Amino acid sequence: MKKLGLILLGVLLLGSVRAQLPDSRTTKDEVVKVLEQMPAQNRAQLQELLDGLFLSGENGVLEMVRMLVPADQSSVKVEYALSGMTHYATEKGKEAQRRMLTGAYLKALDQANGRESKAFIIRQLQIVGQDELVDKLAGYLNDQSLNDPAAAALVSIDTEKSKAALLKALNTVSDIQSKKVLVRAMADVQIPEAEETLLSLLRSGNAELEPLVLTALGANGSEKSLEDLELAAGKVNYAWEKSNAVDAYITLIQRVFTQGNQKEASRAATGLMKNAEKARQLQVREAALEILFMVNPENTFKILQQALKDTERSYRNTALKYALDRADASLCSKLVDYSKKASPELKADILNALATLDENPQKRDLINNQSYTSIFIKYLNDKNLEVRKAAAFLLAKTGGENAIFALAKLLNSNDEQNIETAQNALSVTPGDIASVIAPYLSSANDKGKIAILQLLSGRKADRQVKAVFEQLNASSPDVRKTAYSTLKDVVTMNDLDALFLLLGKMQPEYTVQVQQAIISVVKSFPGDKQFEMISTRIQQTDPVKQCLYYSILSASGSDQALDFIANRFKTGDSNDKKEAFAALTGFRGVKAASELGAICNNPAEASFFDQALDAYIRIASDRSLTGENRRIYLANALEMAKTDKQKNNILKQIGQTGSYLGILLAGEYLDQPAVRQEAANAVMNIALNNTSYTGENIRELLTKVSGILDNPDAGYQKEAIRKHLDEMPLDTGFVSIFNGKDLTGWKGLVGNPISRAKMKPEELAKKQIVADELARKHWIPSGGLMVFNGTGGDNLCTTRSYGDFEMLVDWKLEPAPEADAGIYLRGTPQVQIWNTARVKVGAQVGSGGLYNNKNHPKSPLKVADNPLGEWNTFYIKMVGDRVTVMFNGILVVDNTVLENFWDRSQPIFPQEQIELQAHGSKVYYRNLYVKIL
């Protein structure tokens, strides 16, 4: 319940409470009306609903409390509303609302039925309550069914009066369960006066109370309780376990110190450390050590010195951490001196600990000391590798010219471990390392050269490009390979000609690296300039080597580059075709998917099918596409797939689209044994993550999925499905208005809504016969598609009329210069469909707009069309005269008025047919679904 309130609180807006209820409405009417609209759909509505509830006053709150019926689904909305009011009343400036709610809740406590309802009210009082509630809440501390929430509320109020009530109850209640509740409350609130009572309870030997009492004493005790808690910790051999004795003792020692008794806290911590050492309880020793550092700051180094003699390395490192949390210049100086005489292992640990000071901006300068740097540099020559690594890492943190030069010299070493140490350190060293390390390329061994090249690559050291180019001819193949790989990170536009020359004459083994280097330079230019630059170079290149530039063109991602490479694939020789195809698979975006789809569907290119389909699926699964666009292209992939492995891969991706139509698509594969598990997962994943997807279709599919799932987690999944179905509204949801095989439910167009209304029934019936005959000639249902042949005819209309509704429809235009279509809503044109290349008629604004509007917006908010000849999808919502359109998953019409095209002086018709427009070009429709609102 608290979670509901917190969620609601996050979206509350400030607002004023209206003055009074309308005379014609009772308090109960007002409350019921508001609850029917819960939960709110947006912030503004939420504010209005809360204002309405506060307007109903105490009587309204009491009405809602009467509706709290345990285990009743309707109680959820009541709890949601009350919780929202409670949190709203805690906001600054809402004292009047808080007082009203407090009074109402107090009255409600006396009227509420059942423990759950009363507990809910007490939890609300915990949020809004102040001292005026204490007496009432204290009365429940003897009630075993309600003392837990009552005690929690008093703890939350946290005033002298509420503490006194808790303490009084602790001293007077007799039953063990109530005593446990109150002792537990003592752990959450500071009541020093409770110490004597708690000590008495501890000494009583009640095993059931003991863990709770120990925790409470840790939070409320003083030095008087130290001996008892030390004894309790000893009984469990100073181990952390369920009695909580050790944790309570540590908490109490810290509390004693905060109370000003440094000496007693230090004595207790020292004793705890010794006893924990004997008991071999390392973590407890470390906790005691932390307290010693806290209570004896003046002896930090002395305590640290003692700890560094310990045989446990983890204990020593913990001591270093706690000490350096309190580091100052003096401590750092002593620690650096101490490191000179330390064992190699301890020396490495000290250096690593000092390096952590760099993470604290206030302490970073403590190790930025030239005298320290010279000492750390000497450690680079230590016999122990661990010390050398720690010194290098510390020098990398401190930086500075001397540190960089010292680390760079290691790159010229013959010791591979030194080279690796230097490389790792220099990779995180701030400052200009490139100019220092580059000169060593000429003298370093092969391992050193590789390390230097990789460091130059990581620093994007373009000023050292000449040195990198020189290593392209190194005698070592590994050095040459690294140098070629480094090129992409150090070249600039000044190196472009050299790279082109290199690409033209080089060995094939390094082709990819040089191409990547050229791409890194070309990427700095605009897309059209990239195409112009590379295509010009292609024209100047030997035809046999032109294919070397295809992947570079592909990296530009431009439509021009895609068209060029697609053409080379269609017209080139076998080698050209192979390279062009490889470049095609590197493109992203739906236009590239269209080209790959064409390859998949071309029997003559069967040798490329598997790779082309894999690339197509990769593009179709790209999360930069909307879920609906992914569903469209994955549906295409399913149609092209030949193997069960391919289908399973596609179905898995469909399950990530979040698309309602994706559920239905995956549902079509539930009867295919080889893919039914992945299909079931897809249906389940989309449905369970989208609670707004309801209706008979979804219910039937989820029920079927529950009987199919067969995997180690199937039990949990089936339970999640059962819960989802139980909570799903019993509505009809989306219903198909096209059966996929004939024109049942459809008719031809007769006139327009106004002219039809004027016709006599006999006249309309005759004209309908003619219109239906014409429709059958031009609208061809087949294989789940409704196809308009584009050779004449007129609109296709639903036989029934619709008022407010939601609609889903996929559509595709046959590629043609004048491609055009649309969806008429309530017989009125229209949600526009067209070829965006028709700029002369304004089609460049994109499909999905309300084309025939004059006074209200007509153009879509964005261009969201897929390439001509590809599928697109609309989600259309019409309520009253307002229309919202999601096009390929993108909002293009936002609650905009659709004007009455037939008579602009009249509002839109309240009910009319939906029409698919015939506009002289071939159009395909599928997945036609309508949900009546």
Side-chain angles (χ1 to χ4, degrees), residues 354-396:
L354 287 170
T356 63
L357 293 175
D358 182 71
E359 299 167 6
N360 186 332
Q362 281 88 29
K363 297 184 178 181
R364 190 171 294 151
D365 290 341
L366 292 176
I367 53 168
N368 256 330
N369 183 309
Q370 286 303 312
S371 63
Y372 296 167
T373 300
S374 62
I375 295 171
F376 302 152
I377 288 173
K378 290 179 182 178
Y379 290 157
L380 290 177
N381 298 313
D382 197 278
K383 293 179 181 179
N384 184 277
L385 176 62
E386 194 174 3
V387 173
R388 297 201 300 272
K389 286 183 175 181
F393 183 66
L394 181 51
L395 286 166

Side-chain angles (χ1 to χ4, degrees), residues 620-666:
S621 306
D622 190 335
R623 291 301 182 92
S624 65
L625 299 177
T626 66
E628 287 304 333
N629 249 349
R630 279 182 276 145
R631 187 266 308 171
I632 287 171
Y633 283 93
L634 289 167
N636 294 344
L638 268 178
E639 292 180 0
M640 295 185 288
K642 296 178 180 178
T643 68
D644 293 332
K645 181 179 179 180
Q646 290 167 342
K647 291 176 183 177
N648 276 316
N649 183 23
I650 297 165
L651 286 165
K652 184 176 182 179
Q653 297 301 325
I654 288 172
Q656 306 302 313
T657 62
S659 165
Y660 178 90
L661 291 175
I663 297 178
L664 304 187
L665 175 61

Side-chain angles (χ1 to χ4, degrees), residues 632-758:
I632 287 171
Y633 283 93
L634 289 167
N636 294 344
L638 268 178
E639 292 180 0
M640 295 185 288
K642 296 178 180 178
T643 68
D644 293 332
K645 181 179 179 180
Q646 290 167 342
K647 291 176 183 177
N648 276 316
N649 183 23
I650 297 165
L651 286 165
K652 184 176 182 179
Q653 297 301 325
I654 288 172
Q656 306 302 313
T657 62
S659 165
Y660 178 90
L661 291 175
I663 297 178
L664 304 187
L665 175 61
E668 296 174 13
Y669 291 82
L670 292 175
D671 295 324
Q672 297 186 19
V675 298
R676 67 190 309 185
Q677 291 300 317
E678 206 61 73
N681 282 328
V683 170
M684 176 187 67
N685 288 336
I686 300 176
L688 267 57
N689 287 315
N690 295 273
T691 55
S692 63
Y693 294 168
T694 62
E696 295 174 4
N697 284 338
I698 305 302
R699 184 173 293 279
E700 290 173 7
L701 285 173
L702 282 175
T703 301
K704 188 172 185 178
V705 163
S706 190
I708 289 173
L709 288 169
D710 182 15
N711 62 72
D713 295 323
Y716 300 107
Q717 292 169 340
K718 291 178 180 180
E719 180 58 34
I721 290 172
R722 279 193 292 272
K723 183 175 183 296
H724 187 80
L725 289 172
D726 287 344
E727 296 172 355
M728 185 187 293
L730 294 174
D731 61 350
T732 303
F734 280 102
V735 175
S736 175
I737 57 173
F738 171 46
N739 62 20
K741 56 187 179 182
D742 58 41
L743 293 180
T744 301
W746 296 88
K747 63 183 180 180
L749 176 64
V750 177
N752 61 59
I754 294 176
S755 65
R756 286 196 301 274
K758 296 177 181 178

Side-chain angles (χ1 to χ4, degrees), residues 415-634:
D415 186 328
E416 290 188 13
Q417 291 178 326
N418 279 348
I419 293 171
E420 181 182 353
T421 297
Q423 183 179 1
N424 290 338
L426 285 166
S427 67
V428 296
T429 300
D432 177 20
I433 68 166
S435 62
V436 179
I437 66 175
Y440 288 105
L441 271 173
S442 59
S443 57
N445 63 23
D446 290 344
K447 293 292 183 183
K449 287 178 179 179
I450 290 171
I452 293 168
L453 287 167
Q454 290 173 341
L455 286 167
L456 293 175
S457 174
R459 291 301 173 98
K460 311 291 183 186
D462 54 13
R463 293 184 180 180
Q464 310 304 325
V465 65
K466 182 179 178 181
V468 176
F469 265 102
E470 289 173 355
Q471 296 304 315
L472 299 180
N473 299 312
S475 58
S476 164
D478 290 337
V479 174
R480 288 201 306 273
K481 182 179 179 181
T482 306
Y484 274 109
S485 297
T486 302
L487 280 176
K488 69 181 185 302
D489 296 312
V490 298
V491 290
T492 67
M493 58 189 303
N494 296 325
D495 306 305
L496 202 51
D497 288 338
L499 291 170
F500 285 146
L501 186 63
L502 196 60
L503 184 63
K505 67 177 184 180
M506 66 176 303
Q507 298 175 351
E509 59 184 310
Y510 301 125
T511 298
V512 172
Q513 288 87 342
V514 177
Q515 289 170 331
Q516 289 173 342
I518 295 173
I519 289 168
S520 71
V521 176
V522 173
K523 278 283 188 183
S524 62
F525 294 92
D528 55 346
K529 183 68 175 176
Q530 292 178 41
F531 176 77
E532 179 185 338
M533 186 184 305
I534 302 303
S535 60
T536 299
R537 188 71 196 183
I538 289 174
Q539 293 170 12
Q540 299 169 352
T541 301
D542 183 336
V544 176
K545 295 185 176 182
Q546 288 182 358
C547 61
L548 294 173
Y549 291 88
Y550 293 170
S551 64
I552 301 170
L553 270 181
S554 171
S556 75
S558 70
D559 287 349
Q560 289 173 297
L562 178 62
D563 293 340
F564 181 94
I565 292 172
N567 183 61
R568 286 297 175 101
F569 175 80
K570 295 168 186 173
T571 61
D573 58 25
S574 59
N575 186 60
D576 229 25
K577 205 175 188 72
K578 178 182 175 183
E579 295 298 327
F581 177 76
L584 273 176
T585 61
F587 276 92
R588 296 176 62 186
V590 293
K591 187 170 181 181
S594 300
E595 295 292 348
L596 291 165
I599 294 172
C600 290
N601 289 317
N602 186 351
E605 308 294 2
S607 61
F608 293 99
F609 176 84
D610 288 340
Q611 288 177 279
L613 184 62
D614 287 346
Y616 187 98
I617 295 169
R618 187 169 60 251
I619 292 173
S621 306
D622 190 335
R623 291 301 182 92
S624 65
L625 299 177
T626 66
E628 287 304 333
N629 249 349
R630 279 182 276 145
R631 187 266 308 171
I632 287 171
Y633 283 93
L634 289 167

